[in-house]
Amino acid sequence: AACWKTFSCCEGSEATLSPEIWSVVKSWQPKYHIRELLDSTPRMLERHYTFYNLYVRMQGQQNWRIWAGDCFFGVVTILLNALPAIEFEEGLDVAQNVFAAVLEMLKSNGNMAEANWTMPVEPLDLQFPFFLGLRSNDCLGHSLRVFVYETGNYSLGSLFCSAGQWGVEVVLHRYFASSACRTYDPDEADFFFVPDYRACHYHLAPTYQQKGLTRIEGDDFHSALIRNHKDKYRDGAHADEIFLKLLDQLPYLQRRQGLDHIFVFSDQGFIVNFTHTFPSWREKISNSVFLTTEAFTPGCGPSCFSPWKDIVIPGHLDRDRVESIRAHSLPSGERSLLFNFHGRLPVNHDYYENVTVRRALLRFAQLPDVSVGGFIEEYFEVMGKSHFCVVPEGTSSWTNHLFESFFAGCIPLIVSDRFVLPFQDLIEWDKVSIRWPQDDVDKNPQALYLYLRDLVDRRRAEVEEMKRQVDEAACWFDFYRFDDRSCSPYRGVLHALEQRKRAFPRYLYPQ
C-alpha cells in the first residue's frame, strides 16, 4: 500500500510498461549519468536511444500522468537516460526543457528514498546543467572577451560527448559559452572559440559487423536503434572536406589570418582514431591557437605544435571517475605497492604491439610490491595503495593515466619522453612527478626498480612530501572546479590565453 503514496508500485499496464521492463528501467537509475558502461561508442549511444524510444512512446500516447502514476521515478529515469538522444534528435533547447521538467517532477515528489530508488542527485546540480548550457560562470574574473561560434551539427551532443578524455571538447565549449567572458560582438572579441566535437563524432562511426551493435537488417555497419546513424558520425575518408566545411561557417576567421581563433584537439593532436582530421590545416589555420592534449601529433611530430601560440591542456576525466579514484587514495604510510600500471599492452591490444616501453613494463610484473598488467576491476584500489603510478607512452606521447594518478595521490612516474606537460608555468612538475628515460625501462629495468625502492625505503620523507604536493596539484586537472580562481584547468587555459593576447603581433599580412 505504501508504494501508492509515492507512485512507485511499477505494477505495469497495457497503457504503460510491463513490471519486467520497469524493473530493467530501475536498474539504470543509479547510473543514468554514466556513459562509458559498454564496449564501444556506438553501443553507448544505443543505450540512450533505447530509452529515447520509450520517451517517444510515452509522448505519442500523451499519457505522462498515467506513466508517472504507475512508476513515477521510472519516468524520471527514462527521461534522464533519454536526454543525450533527445539532444541529438530534437536539439539542445528541447533537452533543456525536458531536464527542467525532470527537476520539477523531483521537486513535486520528494519521496525517492521512501520509494526505494537511489538516483544520484549531484549530476542534476552539477554536470547536467553545465553540459546543457544552463550553468553560468564568472570566467574567474578575467577581462578576456571570447566570441563563441554557433557551429550546428559540429557541436551536437553535449551530454553524450562530454564523457571520457575527449569530453574536453565539450567542457571548454560549455565553459566559454556560459561565461562572463563571452561576447556576441565580434568587434570586441579577443578570441573566437570554435566548438567542434570532433573526436566524439569520429568515434561514433561503426566498424564492420561491430560486436553487440543492433544492426539494421542487411546492413553490416549501422545501428537499428540509433536513428539515422549515418548522420551521427564523421567519415574519415572525407576528413579534410568536413573540416573545410566547418571553416566556411566562421565569417571572422580571415580578419586576422586566424590567429585569434581557438580550436580544440582532444586526442592525438590532429589524429583521431588513427585518422588525420585536417590534412590541409597548414594552408587554413596555421596561425590559430590550438588547445591540445597532445603536442606531438603521430606522423607529424613537433611541426604540428608551436609553443608560441598553442596550449597543452589536460584530458578530461568524468566527475564520477575522479571521485571514485579519490575515494581509494590512502595516506602514504598505508601504501603497500611500490608502483603500478594497468591498461593497454602489447599482450592485450594489437595497436600497442610496437610500443616498446609498454612491453618492457611487463618485465616488472613478477617483482615484489609491483602491480603491472591489463585492465582490472580493482584498478582504483591499486592506484590508491601505490606510491608511484607509471605513465608510459602509448600510441602517442600523452595519456590520461597522468591525470588519474593525481586524483589517486599516486606520484606520476612519466616514461614518455615526448609528453609535453600542461600549465608548465603554473605547476612545478619536478616537485610532483618523476621523469625516467623511456628507453632505459627496457635497457636497464633494474635501475628503475632499485631507484624507487630506495626512495620508499630510505627517503620516505621525500616521498611523503611529493605525495602531499601531488594531492594539492590535482585541482589543475579537475574540470568541475568551475569557480576556483586559484587552481583549475580553466584558470590554466585563461592564463595562457591572456599571455597569447599580450603577444599578438601588431602587423599582419594585407587582406
Side-chain angles (χ1 to χ4, degrees):
C3 69
W4 288 105
K5 298 178 181 178
T6 58
F7 304 103
S8 59
C9 291
C10 305
E11 293 178 340
S13 70
E14 291 184 2
T16 61
L17 300 175
S18 68
E20 292 77 17
I21 294 180
W22 278 130
S23 179
V24 173
V25 168
K26 186 173 183 178
S27 72
W28 283 95
Q29 49 99 22
K31 48 198 175 188
Y32 67 87
H33 58 299
I34 302 175
R35 193 196 81 182
E36 296 188 306
L37 296 169
L38 299 170
D39 55 12
S40 74
T41 308
R43 287 198 68 211
M44 295 170 195
L45 188 55
E46 277 196 335
R47 160 201 157 191
H48 296 294
Y49 272 87
T50 299
F51 282 96
Y52 179 72
N53 290 334
L54 294 177
Y55 160 78
V56 170
R57 176 178 164 186
M58 185 166 56
Q59 288 277 84
Q61 295 175 344
Q62 298 182 340
N63 58 3
W64 278 54
R65 292 181 181 276
I66 296 175
W67 285 56
D70 183 17
C71 194
F72 185 91
F73 296 105
V75 170
V76 170
T77 299
I78 289 172
L79 296 178
L80 288 174
N81 277 282
L83 268 177
I86 292 171
E87 184 185 356
F88 269 116
E89 294 302 317
E90 304 179 29
L92 182 63
D93 290 347
V94 175
Q96 290 173 337
N97 291 336
V98 172
F99 179 68
V102 166
L103 297 183
E104 285 299 316
M105 289 181 70
L106 291 174
K107 185 177 178 181
S108 70
N109 185 348
N111 300 307
M112 183 159 45
E114 184 182 346
N116 195 29
W117 286 66
T118 55
M119 205 176 302
V121 296
E122 186 194 58
L124 305 177
D125 297 327
L126 189 68
Q127 296 101 297
F128 273 51
F130 178 61
F131 299 143
L132 289 169
L134 299 172
R135 189 190 191 284
S136 62
N137 67 82
D138 67 357
C139 208
L140 307 184
H142 278 261
S143 60
L144 279 177
R145 309 300 289 159
V146 180
F147 184 97
V148 180
Y149 281 106
E150 298 292 341
T151 54
N153 287 341
Y154 284 88
S155 53
L156 183 62
S158 296
L159 276 174
F160 182 77
C161 293
S162 64
Q165 63 188 41
W166 306 296
V168 71
E169 297 171 336
V170 174
V171 297
L172 289 173
H173 172 208
R174 286 293 162 223
Y175 186 83
F176 283 115
S178 301
S179 78
C181 287
R182 184 174 189 176
T183 178
Y184 293 89
D185 182 355
D187 292 328
E188 71 172 16
D190 299 307
F191 291 98
F192 293 77
F193 187 90
V194 183
D196 183 17
Y197 302 166
R198 187 181 318 105
C200 176
H201 292 173
Y202 273 107
H203 280 87
L204 274 171
T207 57
Y208 177 72
Q209 294 187 350
Q210 187 158 0
K211 181 180 178 182
L213 202 66
T214 308
R215 294 192 303 275
I216 297 171
E217 185 176 353
D219 185 330
D220 289 327
F221 289 91
H222 297 99
S223 170
L225 292 176
I226 301 172
R227 301 190 177 197
N228 301 309
H229 188 185
K230 292 181 180 180
D231 299 332
K232 302 295 188 300
Y233 66 88
R234 303 187 194 179
D235 184 350
H238 303 288
D240 215 49
E241 177 187 347
I242 292 169
F243 214 120
L244 288 170
K245 286 182 179 178
L246 170 62
L247 299 191
D248 288 341
Q249 299 183 30
L250 313 179
Y252 311 110
L253 179 64
Q254 294 307 319
R255 291 205 313 187
R256 304 190 71 187
Q257 283 75 57
L259 65 82
D260 53 4
H261 278 56
I262 300 169
F263 294 85
V264 179
F265 296 93
S266 66
D267 199 347
Q268 300 177 349
F270 283 100
I271 305 297
V272 173
N273 213 14
F274 302 99
T275 297
H276 197 304
T277 58
F278 195 20
S280 62
W281 72 273
R282 295 181 196 277
E283 302 168 23
K284 302 295 183 179
I285 58 170
S286 59
N287 294 324
S288 299
V289 177
F290 302 156
L291 301 183
T292 179
T293 55
E294 172 63 270
F296 201 91
T297 294
C300 181
S303 67
C304 283
F305 176 84
S306 169
W308 291 100
K309 66 178 184 67
D310 301 330
I311 302 166
V312 176
I313 56 175
H316 169 260
L317 290 169
D318 296 345
R319 169 77 173 180
D320 271 73
R321 188 173 183 85
V322 166
E323 293 306 308
S324 295
I325 293 173
R326 276 183 170 144
H328 292 94
S329 177
L330 296 176
S332 188
E334 297 178 24
R335 296 187 175 227
S336 57
L337 291 175
L338 185 61
F339 68 86
N340 83 87
F341 174 77
H342 286 276
R344 292 186 176 90
L345 294 160
V347 295
N348 64 18
H349 204 294
D350 293 342
Y351 291 162
Y352 291 76
E353 179 65 29
N354 297 318
V355 181
T356 305
V357 67
R358 295 208 181 195
R359 184 177 297 280
L361 288 175
L362 291 169
R363 299 166 65 180
F364 294 95
Q366 304 305 317
L367 294 178
D369 305 327
V370 173
S371 184
V372 170
F375 296 104
I376 54 174
E377 289 187 8
E378 62 273 23
Y379 175 53
F380 296 166
E381 293 93 322
V382 168
M383 283 197 297
K385 62 182 181 182
S386 299
H387 290 288
F388 301 95
C389 285
V390 183
V391 181
E393 183 179 65
T395 52
S396 69
S397 66
W398 92 283
T399 168
N400 245 12
H401 284 281
L402 173 64
F403 311 114
E404 289 180 340
S405 68
F406 278 86
F407 297 112
C410 185
I411 300 165
L413 174 64
I414 302 170
V415 287
S416 178
D417 297 347
R418 297 176 295 189
F419 196 159
V420 178
L421 305 174
F423 310 148
Q424 291 189 31
D425 55 342
L426 297 171
I427 300 171
E428 294 185 88
W429 280 99
D430 60 329
K431 294 184 178 180
V432 295
S433 65
I434 295 172
R435 298 201 78 144
W436 197 267
Q438 65 186 65
D439 287 346
D440 288 359
V441 177
D442 185 37
K443 293 176 181 177
N444 191 1
Q446 185 179 26
L448 173 59
Y449 182 80
L450 292 177
Y451 173 75
L452 298 177
R453 185 87 270 171
D454 180 69
L455 275 176
V456 171
D457 292 345
R458 296 181 178 84
R459 298 152 59 187
R460 177 59 71 94
E462 293 178 37
V463 174
E464 291 181 352
E465 173 58 19
M466 186 173 282
K467 193 259 189 220
R468 184 190 67 79
Q469 295 200 47
V470 165
D471 289 336
E472 288 187 357
C475 51
W476 289 108
F477 316 119
D478 186 349
F479 280 97
Y480 298 92
R481 298 175 74 93
F482 305 120
D483 304 312
D484 190 335
R485 298 193 177 196
S486 62
C487 181
S488 76
Y490 305 109
R491 177 171 183 252
V493 169
L494 288 164
H495 170 78
L497 289 176
E498 290 276 14
Q499 291 179 318
R500 274 40 174 197
K501 177 187 172 183
R502 289 194 294 269
F504 272 165
R506 292 178 178 272
Y507 302 102
L508 301 169
Y509 300 110
Q511 295 284 349

